[in-house]
Structure formats: structure tokens, C-alpha cells
Amino acid sequence: MAEAAPVAAPNAELLEWPKKDKRRLLHAVYRVGDLDRTIKFYTECFGMKLLRKRDIPEEKYSNAFLGFGPEVSNFVVELTYNYGVSSYDIGTGFGHFAIATQDVYKLVEDIRAKGGIITREPGPVKGGQSVIAFVKDPDGYVFELIQRGPTPEPLCQVMLRVGDLDRAIKFYEKALGMRLLKKVDRPEYKYTIAMLGYAEEQETTVLELTYNYGVTEYTKGNAYAQIAIGTDDVYKSAEVVSLVIQELGGKITRPAGPIPGINTKITSFLDPDGWKTVLVDNEDFLKELE
């Protein structure tokens, strides 16, 4: 009797979807204690543009979207101000955002002249060639300034700390279709980093995951909220995430479907380390911007 042909692994086709999907990082969402103060700092010190601002008095919050280019093509920050809340706990898990600039030294002097706090003076990274500096915004969020040539995406990194780097890499590859662009182990400083994204590091915004030797858990605080990523099919993408969560851990926090009022289709979930991602329907996102 002839052997039966091997059956394709269930869900194998579904798990291929994130690689075919049209995805990009849309924005990072976090909370600030004084919206106008942060807008002033980002526009005057970093050179960002205020793209839009909205006030939702019935929900008692305001938003501002800032970046280096339009939301249809660029990664931006979405700042949230909750009425009457002037400060937040950033926690130990959130690392930094990064901005690419052609002259770190000049940008640092401009920031210093406007009263910005420089936490690391410009200079080469330890054991490397890249010139970097670190600054703090008025709420205590850290921004790394990286010297590099002209780039279509100056707002170039979101860094988060994770307790198991290989698990986190696998999660973002399988659940979100990201590519591992670079992995660097620095045993002399007891950390390993991984850069993941949808295009090369010099061209786009990447997620930088950091593992500090022996540290498996971090506090999340209540300041940083999430990143948003575009997808052509929220429902299919949510199915993939559910499958990957069963394997690697995490949690669906909002099943796929439209948001009441604006009808944009989204789903949201936590990765195995508790970091939140929201998947947003690409067409609905463009309609929101009109």
C-alpha cells in the first residue's frame, strides 16, 4: 500500500501572511505631562513638525502627532495628554527613541542652547565608529542621536528591553513579519541587541530589542503605551498573532474589529515581555488622515 503524501502543516499558509502583507511602523504612542511644552521641545530642539493635534474633551485627553515627514509615509510619535495628569512613570523596560542626523555635535549644541538636558556628550560608541549622543525630553524620555548620512526616516529607532532575546526575535518575525537586520552581542558590557524591521536600518524605523545579561523582567510604568503597525488585513493578521501567542506567549488585548465612532479596524496584543502593539488597517488609516 502506497504511503499517503505528507499533509502540509496546519496554519502553515496563514503563518506566511505577515511576510506578504504590506506593513510598516506607523507611530509610537506615549503619555506626556504638558502637551504644548513637549511640542515646543520637539519642534525647536529636534526639528520635528507638528502634523496634527486633536482635543477630545468628552474623554478628557488631547493628542499631538509629530515627525519629520507626513504620516502617509513616515513614522511619527503620537503624544497623549490626559487632563490633569502632569507626570508618568517611564519604568525600567522602555529604553529610548532615536533620531538620525548628519551632525550630532551641531544638534547637541542647538539642544543645549534651548535648555535641553544632554545625558551623554557626542562621541563614538564604545568599541565602534558610530558617533552618538543622548538627550532627555521634558518628561524624561531618552532620545539617542545617531550621526549618519541623509535618510528618508530620521525618527529611526524604538528601543525596548526584553527578558529573552531569542524568544522576542522569533515573536516579531513570526507574528509581525519583521526581518532580523542585525544582532550584536557585547559580552564586555553584558548585553545583546537585535534590530528588527521591514527595510534596511538606514532607510526606515526599526525596533531595537535589548537583552541585559541575567535580567528577565522589567517594569513597564504607565508612560510608554505602544507601537502601531499597518496591515492590509487586520482579521488575518490577528489570526496569525493568536497562533504565535499560543507558541511563544503574549496576550490579545483587543480582538480584530472596528473602533466605535471612527470605524478604523484594529487589533492589539502584548508580546511575551508585555510590550503592546496595535495593528491598524492600512486603508482605514489613510481615511483617518484625510
Side-chain angles (χ1 to χ4, degrees):
M1 185 177 168
E3 281 186 30
V7 179
N11 305 315
E13 191 179 333
L14 184 61
L15 287 167
E16 287 297 306
W17 163 247
K19 295 174 196 164
K20 302 171 188 172
D21 192 14
K22 195 174 173 186
R23 299 196 175 186
R24 74 177 179 91
L25 273 73
L26 303 177
H27 49 253
V29 184
Y30 52 105
R31 301 171 184 96
V32 298
D34 182 330
L35 198 55
D36 291 332
R37 176 186 66 184
T38 305
I39 291 168
K40 187 173 193 286
F41 188 87
Y42 287 9
T43 53
E44 292 184 2
C45 292
F46 293 150
M48 289 187 195
K49 299 180 183 75
L50 175 61
L51 303 168
R52 58 187 170 119
K53 191 177 177 184
R54 64 187 179 195
D55 186 37
I56 320 287
E58 62 274 22
E59 301 286 341
K60 297 187 177 175
Y61 75 89
S62 303
N63 288 125
F65 296 78
L66 296 99
F68 293 97
E71 288 178 74
V72 291
S73 56
N74 286 71
F75 184 72
V76 307
V77 294
E78 177 183 340
L79 308 176
T80 299
Y81 168 68
N82 292 298
Y83 290 11
V85 184
S86 60
S87 67
Y88 293 93
D89 171 21
I90 293 174
T92 59
F94 176 79
H96 61 253
F97 300 106
I99 294 172
T101 176
Q102 293 184 65
D103 191 339
V104 164
Y105 295 92
K106 183 179 184 304
L107 182 54
V108 164
E109 285 317 305
D110 290 346
I111 292 169
R112 199 194 312 274
K114 294 180 172 82
I117 300 166
I118 314 301
T119 59
R120 182 206 192 270
E121 293 293 334
V125 296
K126 289 175 181 174
Q129 301 295 313
S130 301
V131 174
I132 65 164
F134 282 96
V135 302
K136 264 189 185 176
D137 79 358
D139 288 276
Y141 291 102
V142 174
F143 281 77
E144 180 180 8
L145 310 178
I146 304 171
Q147 189 156 295
R148 62 171 62 155
T151 173
E153 188 48 271
L155 193 52
C156 60
Q157 287 177 9
V158 179
M159 191 277 257
L160 304 171
R161 298 182 179 96
V162 298
D164 182 331
L165 189 58
D166 290 333
R167 179 185 65 183
I169 291 168
K170 199 182 285 187
F171 185 90
Y172 284 94
E173 285 177 330
K174 294 181 82 165
L176 288 165
M178 289 187 182
R179 286 191 287 131
L180 176 62
L181 305 170
K182 182 170 78 179
K183 189 177 178 185
V184 181
D185 185 33
R186 301 301 296 269
E188 67 275 31
Y189 302 116
K190 297 187 177 176
Y191 73 83
T192 309
I193 61 166
M195 301 288 191
L196 295 107
Y198 296 109
E200 292 309 311
E201 201 183 334
Q202 309 286 329
E203 303 164 15
T204 186
T205 306
V206 300
L207 191 60
E208 177 184 343
L209 302 178
T210 296
Y211 168 68
N212 292 298
Y213 290 12
V215 185
T216 57
E217 283 187 30
Y218 295 92
T219 60
K220 297 293 181 297
N222 60 356
Y224 172 82
Q226 66 214 29
I227 54 168
I229 295 172
T231 173
D232 280 344
D233 189 331
V234 165
Y235 297 96
K236 195 187 279 191
S237 294
E239 282 185 66
V240 175
V241 172
S242 292
L243 281 176
V244 178
I245 282 173
Q246 288 170 35
E247 179 195 351
L248 296 170
K251 181 185 178 185
I252 300 284
T253 54
R254 187 186 185 111
I259 301 169
I262 58 172
N263 290 323
T264 296
K265 294 182 287 295
I266 69 162
T267 185
S268 66
F269 57 91
L270 304 180
D271 74 3
D273 288 279
W275 295 114
K276 187 177 177 186
T277 298
V278 178
L279 288 166
V280 182
D281 180 88
N282 284 324
E283 276 190 31
D284 291 350
F285 179 68
L286 292 177
K287 281 179 197 162
E288 266 192 64
L289 298 179
E290 284 170 2

